[in-house]
Amino acid sequence: MIDISPSVMQFLLAFIVVAPLLGAATALPPAPPGLRGSGPDQAVLRHGVTVTGVILVAAIVLALGFDHDQPSRMQATTDISWIAALDVRIHLGVDGISLPLLVLTALLTFLCALYSYFKPPAGPSPRAFVALLLVLESGTLATFAVLDLLLFFLAFEMVLIPMYFLIARWGGAERQAAAWKFILYTLLGSVVMLLGLLLVGLHAGTFDMVALATDNGSGLSKSVQVTAVLAIGIGLAVKTPMWPLHSWLPDAHTAAPTVGSVLLAGVMLKMGTYGFVRIVLPIAPDGMRTFAPYLAAFAVVGIIYGSLACLALARRGAGGDLKRLIAYSSVGHMGFVLLGIASMTPTGVNGALFANVAHGLITGLLFFLVGALKDRYGTADLDTLAGATGAALYGRAPRLGGLLAFAAVASLGLPGLAGFWGEMLAMFGAFDPAPGLSRPAFLTFTAIACFGTLLTAAYLLIVVRRVCMGATRPAAGAEETGPAPELADVQGYELAAWTPLVALTVLAGLWPAVLLGLTDPAVQKLLAGGKS
């Protein structure tokens, strides 16, 4: 770690949040002739790589300058009055809970920009694509950095418009319907969430998240807390997404371009679960305690539902789309995150935060791989990929097949990889929930979640067997159509974009203390009402 002055840390965090907006504004005008390279499209895509690369470097420097001996303390803080009448402030800061998500967002956005430079998505002008990608990055980074409820809401909403256009303009089949479904679901959830945030802020007399967390709900009656948790929780649950508010997700992922799916799964879903940890748990603990058993119940239903949906898509002759299958798997994986949060214990919440980061790395890699497979084969239909003339990746593109198998076993929670620790800790937290919660109920939820891990392993191993090994006979109703087309193995730019995700998945799996050492003190303080 390096010693950086507080003023430089403050500048770095503000720069990380604001710089993508400046980059988006400068992406829209035509590039000067001397910077165009082989053409204006290449220039603007290179601009996207440069801006996201600078932001990633700034995020890494911020992480290196972070005081790892005091991860529970808000660092790199900016606190400026904005709307004095409502005590709304431009309040930024980072602790052990938000720092990993900031770095994850900066990393995935850079990898998406790098991938798009070599493989631009089919659609309108790259200028708009790069500008929307940068606005999306700014909104996501701001969500994890702001410490004011109204600023949180604005940042939370800021990502909706760029993601809508990324799906609607650069997506695949049924993109318009999927984009509308995405925007309507998330906007309706956000309206309800805003009412809950206003209720908390007006009753407490402040919108400052640090002050509210320190107060730990003592300034809010139980009825206000219950109402606020219900309203805020609905908005966060839509973004997470929690069953049964998840139905927008499979359509959005199926229609989105590859980088849109990576960012949607890798960072946008984390905004909902982060809101539960940062806002709901510390600010309205009595209200959260009331709804925790219901949240856990919805979480485990989502685990089983997502797994069964994936099994249905993976079976022979179902005509399942591989992108859609991975989208449904996210419903199950985020169920483990919600179960850990619902336990209201340090173990469960740490597991939820770990699973958040692990899911971002692994599912981001999975969507990259499926996008590459779709580019090569022209389809993500599982029956086509698994047929007698299908992919058979181990024999025809062994590096691509090996990476797909690696991502699949990481996703199913193989010990030694990142996917294992978060889900295990979440179930440990649910096994012994916080005082005041029904232990028999949570033991039941834990048992159901354990069964969900078996279903997860089943559908992912079926996918690996069918896509990587191929089929011994055609799928039902299919006919032989001659030799399968040639498949290019992993290209250099793909290796550059995917290697960091593979390396971090292994690192987090072998040394989970690197991440848990950041989150645990901050979680302990958060659950103790701001007291270390």
Side-chain angles (χ1 to χ4, degrees), residues 101-117:
L101 293 170
L102 273 173
V103 176
L104 176 67
T105 301
L107 172 65
L108 284 177
T109 311
F110 169 70
L111 296 181
C112 285
L114 180 65
Y115 187 85
S116 299
Y117 178 77

mmCIF file of all heavy atoms in Angstrom, residues 101-117:
data_model
loop_
_atom_site.group_PDB
_atom_site.id
_atom_site.type_symbol
_atom_site.label_atom_id
_atom_site.label_comp_id
_atom_site.label_asym_id
_atom_site.label_seq_id
_atom_site.Cartn_x
_atom_site.Cartn_y
_atom_site.Cartn_z
ATOM 1 N N LEU A 101 -16.490 -2.748 -4.886
ATOM 2 C CA LEU A 101 -17.465 -2.548 -5.957
ATOM 3 C C LEU A 101 -17.040 -1.418 -6.889
ATOM 4 O O LEU A 101 -17.293 -1.479 -8.103
ATOM 5 C CB LEU A 101 -18.839 -2.258 -5.358
ATOM 6 C CG LEU A 101 -19.465 -3.436 -4.591
ATOM 7 C CD1 LEU A 101 -20.705 -2.996 -3.833
ATOM 8 C CD2 LEU A 101 -19.795 -4.574 -5.541
ATOM 9 N N LEU A 102 -16.382 -0.392 -6.359
ATOM 10 C CA LEU A 102 -15.847 0.675 -7.208
ATOM 11 C C LEU A 102 -14.796 0.120 -8.163
ATOM 12 O O LEU A 102 -14.822 0.395 -9.374
ATOM 13 C CB LEU A 102 -15.224 1.770 -6.339
ATOM 14 C CG LEU A 102 -16.119 2.885 -5.808
ATOM 15 C CD1 LEU A 102 -15.333 3.752 -4.838
ATOM 16 C CD2 LEU A 102 -16.652 3.735 -6.945
ATOM 17 N N VAL A 103 -13.868 -0.654 -7.624
ATOM 18 C CA VAL A 103 -12.795 -1.201 -8.461
ATOM 19 C C VAL A 103 -13.368 -2.196 -9.476
ATOM 20 O O VAL A 103 -12.960 -2.214 -10.648
ATOM 21 C CB VAL A 103 -11.715 -1.870 -7.587
ATOM 22 C CG1 VAL A 103 -10.646 -2.517 -8.449
ATOM 23 C CG2 VAL A 103 -11.081 -0.849 -6.639
ATOM 24 N N LEU A 104 -14.335 -3.023 -9.050
ATOM 25 C CA LEU A 104 -14.968 -3.972 -9.963
ATOM 26 C C LEU A 104 -15.651 -3.250 -11.119
ATOM 27 O O LEU A 104 -15.528 -3.663 -12.286
ATOM 28 C CB LEU A 104 -15.985 -4.824 -9.200
ATOM 29 C CG LEU A 104 -16.808 -5.812 -10.037
ATOM 30 C CD1 LEU A 104 -15.916 -6.910 -10.602
ATOM 31 C CD2 LEU A 104 -17.946 -6.412 -9.207
ATOM 32 N N THR A 105 -16.358 -2.172 -10.826
ATOM 33 C CA THR A 105 -17.034 -1.395 -11.871
ATOM 34 C C THR A 105 -16.037 -0.807 -12.859
ATOM 35 O O THR A 105 -16.225 -0.897 -14.085
ATOM 36 C CB THR A 105 -17.874 -0.269 -11.241
ATOM 37 O OG1 THR A 105 -18.840 -0.840 -10.351
ATOM 38 C CG2 THR A 105 -18.580 0.551 -12.304
ATOM 39 N N ALA A 106 -14.972 -0.201 -12.333
ATOM 40 C CA ALA A 106 -13.961 0.396 -13.207
ATOM 41 C C ALA A 106 -13.298 -0.678 -14.077
ATOM 42 O O ALA A 106 -13.046 -0.462 -15.270
ATOM 43 C CB ALA A 106 -12.917 1.128 -12.372
ATOM 44 N N LEU A 107 -13.027 -1.850 -13.498
ATOM 45 C CA LEU A 107 -12.379 -2.925 -14.245
ATOM 46 C C LEU A 107 -13.287 -3.446 -15.359
ATOM 47 O O LEU A 107 -12.860 -3.565 -16.519
ATOM 48 C CB LEU A 107 -12.000 -4.063 -13.296
ATOM 49 C CG LEU A 107 -11.475 -5.338 -13.962
ATOM 50 C CD1 LEU A 107 -10.147 -5.067 -14.656
ATOM 51 C CD2 LEU A 107 -11.338 -6.471 -12.949
ATOM 52 N N LEU A 108 -14.534 -3.794 -15.034
ATOM 53 C CA LEU A 108 -15.423 -4.369 -16.037
ATOM 54 C C LEU A 108 -15.721 -3.380 -17.158
ATOM 55 O O LEU A 108 -15.815 -3.768 -18.328
ATOM 56 C CB LEU A 108 -16.726 -4.827 -15.379
ATOM 57 C CG LEU A 108 -16.652 -6.140 -14.583
ATOM 58 C CD1 LEU A 108 -17.990 -6.448 -13.930
ATOM 59 C CD2 LEU A 108 -16.227 -7.303 -15.462
ATOM 60 N N THR A 109 -15.867 -2.092 -16.829
ATOM 61 C CA THR A 109 -16.137 -1.104 -17.879
ATOM 62 C C THR A 109 -14.937 -0.977 -18.810
ATOM 63 O O THR A 109 -15.098 -0.878 -20.032
ATOM 64 C CB THR A 109 -16.484 0.262 -17.266
ATOM 65 O OG1 THR A 109 -17.471 0.099 -16.248
ATOM 66 C CG2 THR A 109 -17.031 1.204 -18.332
ATOM 67 N N PHE A 110 -13.727 -0.982 -18.252
ATOM 68 C CA PHE A 110 -12.530 -0.921 -19.103
ATOM 69 C C PHE A 110 -12.443 -2.149 -20.003
ATOM 70 O O PHE A 110 -12.147 -2.031 -21.205
ATOM 71 C CB PHE A 110 -11.280 -0.813 -18.229
ATOM 72 C CG PHE A 110 -10.001 -1.014 -18.994
ATOM 73 C CD1 PHE A 110 -9.560 -0.055 -19.902
ATOM 74 C CD2 PHE A 110 -9.247 -2.178 -18.837
ATOM 75 C CE1 PHE A 110 -8.387 -0.246 -20.625
ATOM 76 C CE2 PHE A 110 -8.080 -2.370 -19.558
ATOM 77 C CZ PHE A 110 -7.655 -1.403 -20.451
ATOM 78 N N LEU A 111 -12.688 -3.331 -19.451
ATOM 79 C CA LEU A 111 -12.618 -4.553 -20.260
ATOM 80 C C LEU A 111 -13.677 -4.541 -21.351
ATOM 81 O O LEU A 111 -13.429 -5.014 -22.476
ATOM 82 C CB LEU A 111 -12.787 -5.787 -19.369
ATOM 83 C CG LEU A 111 -11.688 -6.005 -18.312
ATOM 84 C CD1 LEU A 111 -11.968 -7.266 -17.507
ATOM 85 C CD2 LEU A 111 -10.305 -6.072 -18.951
ATOM 86 N N CYS A 112 -14.862 -3.996 -21.053
ATOM 87 C CA CYS A 112 -15.910 -3.882 -22.073
ATOM 88 C C CYS A 112 -15.501 -2.910 -23.177
ATOM 89 O O CYS A 112 -15.734 -3.168 -24.368
ATOM 90 C CB CYS A 112 -17.223 -3.421 -21.431
ATOM 91 S SG CYS A 112 -18.055 -4.715 -20.482
ATOM 92 N N ALA A 113 -14.882 -1.789 -22.795
ATOM 93 C CA ALA A 113 -14.425 -0.821 -23.796
ATOM 94 C C ALA A 113 -13.313 -1.426 -24.655
ATOM 95 O O ALA A 113 -13.278 -1.233 -25.882
ATOM 96 C CB ALA A 113 -13.937 0.450 -23.099
ATOM 97 N N LEU A 114 -12.407 -2.167 -24.023
ATOM 98 C CA LEU A 114 -11.319 -2.814 -24.762
ATOM 99 C C LEU A 114 -11.881 -3.852 -25.736
ATOM 100 O O LEU A 114 -11.466 -3.917 -26.908
ATOM 101 C CB LEU A 114 -10.357 -3.472 -23.771
ATOM 102 C CG LEU A 114 -9.146 -4.202 -24.358
ATOM 103 C CD1 LEU A 114 -8.217 -3.223 -25.050
ATOM 104 C CD2 LEU A 114 -8.395 -4.966 -23.262
ATOM 105 N N TYR A 115 -12.802 -4.664 -25.283
ATOM 106 C CA TYR A 115 -13.423 -5.677 -26.128
ATOM 107 C C TYR A 115 -14.147 -5.029 -27.303
ATOM 108 O O TYR A 115 -14.064 -5.500 -28.441
ATOM 109 C CB TYR A 115 -14.389 -6.501 -25.280
ATOM 110 C CG TYR A 115 -14.998 -7.695 -25.969
ATOM 111 C CD1 TYR A 115 -14.332 -8.912 -26.019
ATOM 112 C CD2 TYR A 115 -16.242 -7.610 -26.576
ATOM 113 C CE1 TYR A 115 -14.891 -10.016 -26.644
ATOM 114 C CE2 TYR A 115 -16.814 -8.704 -27.213
ATOM 115 C CZ TYR A 115 -16.126 -9.902 -27.244
ATOM 116 O OH TYR A 115 -16.686 -10.986 -27.877
ATOM 117 N N SER A 116 -14.851 -3.910 -27.034
ATOM 118 C CA SER A 116 -15.616 -3.234 -28.087
ATOM 119 C C SER A 116 -14.713 -2.571 -29.116
ATOM 120 O O SER A 116 -15.121 -2.371 -30.273
ATOM 121 C CB SER A 116 -16.543 -2.185 -27.466
ATOM 122 O OG SER A 116 -17.467 -2.789 -26.588
ATOM 123 N N TYR A 117 -13.506 -2.205 -28.727
ATOM 124 C CA TYR A 117 -12.571 -1.595 -29.678
ATOM 125 C C TYR A 117 -12.234 -2.587 -30.798
ATOM 126 O O TYR A 117 -12.140 -2.217 -31.966
ATOM 127 C CB TYR A 117 -11.297 -1.169 -28.945
ATOM 128 C CG TYR A 117 -10.247 -0.562 -29.856
ATOM 129 C CD1 TYR A 117 -10.378 0.741 -30.323
ATOM 130 C CD2 TYR A 117 -9.136 -1.304 -30.249
ATOM 131 C CE1 TYR A 117 -9.417 1.296 -31.155
ATOM 132 C CE2 TYR A 117 -8.174 -0.753 -31.081
ATOM 133 C CZ TYR A 117 -8.322 0.551 -31.535
ATOM 134 O OH TYR A 117 -7.383 1.092 -32.372
#
